[in-house]
Amino acid sequence: DQQVKQNSPSLSVQEGRISILNCDYTNSMFDYFLWYKKYPAEGPTFLISISSIKDKNEDGRFTVFLNKSAKHLSLHIVPSQPGDSAVYFCAASARSQGNLIFGKGTKLSVKP
Amino acid sequence: EPEVTQTPSHQVTQMGQEVILRCVPISNHLYFYWYRQILGQKVEFLVSFYNNEISEKSEIFDDQFSVERPDGSNFTLKIRSTKLEDSAMYFCASSGYRDPTFGSGTRLTVV
């Protein structure tokens, strides 16, 4: 039962271009969404979050968009840098302190 | 920047043995979590802990698992009798108001 789905296991982007990572969810009770970045042999690192009362949140090169009617969110990274190469996990919870349900991750490769 | 610290980084144990994974959460955080990631699979929630008791747990967190905050700073996960399928990366996390911070994980290998 995949409540949070990241359908693209990998994405390759040229340095300087936009990276768009997608995430879909099925549970309409989810009201808080997060993106984490993970390097090999490290724990997930928090990137950006969005509450369901918003449809966009921006932090520097990272922007998260939320489309509640489509149960879809996306992470935009612009411009992409080689150091952004990592696995990106989408996560959701039914309240801000609820347990996180993670997607399977998308491996982003940014090529110089 | 404050960190969540996990020890050991790698633990090898024989099937049937007990293991204790240790975590030092960020000092002013109130919520504590354990997650695990089996190789090639997604990060899965195990348990959350607040106000000195379990607040939520998943189906994975059965009677073989227990958590404890023995001294106000450490947060431990105990697996009583390990099975081969317990081999995974175990991540501790802590949060204040929101947005959990994760540790670097303990790789548990059960042989």
Side-chain angles (χ1 to χ4, degrees), chain B residues 92-106:
Chain B
C92 173
S94 69
S95 67
Y97 180 62
R98 59 185 187 185
D99 305 339
T101 300
F102 283 77
S104 294
T106 293

Side-chain angles (χ1 to χ4, degrees), chain A residues 15-67:
Chain A
E15 181 179 6
R17 309 294 279 264
I18 185 170
S19 296
I20 300 177
L21 299 128
N22 293 303
C23 178
D24 297 292
Y25 62 96
T26 57
N27 189 340
S28 56
M29 297 299 291
F30 287 148
D31 60 1
Y32 194 69
F33 305 90
L34 307 89
W35 283 95
Y36 282 83
K37 178 169 78 170
K38 187 179 181 302
Y39 294 115
E42 294 185 15
T45 301
F46 171 74
L47 270 180
I48 193 167
S49 61
I50 188 165
S51 162
S52 60
I53 62 173
K54 292 185 169 184
D55 55 20
K56 178 182 173 181
N57 189 24
E58 194 171 348
D59 183 2
R61 295 186 297 116
F62 302 91
T63 303
V64 56
F65 295 92
L66 176 62
N67 182 334

